[in-house]
Amino acid sequence: NNTISKDKKMQKGYWISCYHEIYNADKLAAYAELAKPAIESQGGRFLVRGPAVYAAGSGVMERTVIVEWPTLNDAQNAYDSDAYQAALDALSDGVDRDFRIVEGA
């Protein structure tokens, strides 16, 4: 189930993206050009954007992006927005990434 329950909608939300592999740097650049303004215009704030500097256990040295949202609802609405979906269309099959929305502590 990809919907957020009513009692969780006011918690801070975070997008976490881990890029396992980048197949096409041009597609990633096109995505970034569209995604950054789509995210920031909807209240998202980048906390992390870059490669890992250390990994342990099963961790992998990969590009990681974390975006903070005022609420989980904001995080979900931004993901579903036309502007962000256009960015995802530009990214297409250019990367293998793990994306999730999580609740703040």
Side-chain angles (χ1 to χ4, degrees):
N1 185 355
N2 286 332
T3 60
I4 298 169
S5 66
K6 284 185 181 182
D7 62 326
K8 300 288 186 181
K9 287 187 178 184
M10 295 311 291
Q11 296 290 337
K12 278 197 175 189
Y14 296 85
W15 286 6
I16 301 176
S17 301
C18 297
Y19 290 76
H20 303 301
E21 193 164 348
I22 297 171
Y23 304 121
N24 186 318
D26 292 336
K27 286 184 178 184
L28 180 57
Y31 161 81
E33 188 173 318
L34 295 171
K36 186 175 188 287
I39 290 166
E40 290 177 343
S41 71
Q42 296 182 67
R45 184 170 69 101
F46 288 93
L47 299 180
V48 174
R49 197 168 39 179
V53 295
Y54 176 79
S58 297
V60 178
M61 298 292 284
E62 61 192 5
R63 177 175 177 75
T64 303
V65 177
I66 300 175
V67 178
E68 180 181 63
W69 297 91
T71 68
L72 278 172
N73 199 44
D74 293 331
Q76 185 67 57
N77 288 339
Y79 184 85
D80 294 338
S81 72
D82 290 342
Y84 189 70
Q85 290 300 307
L88 288 177
D89 288 345
L91 181 60
S92 175
D93 59 354
V95 300
D96 174 18
R97 77 174 185 160
D98 175 2
F99 174 88
R100 62 196 68 217
I101 297 174
V102 298
E103 175 185 0

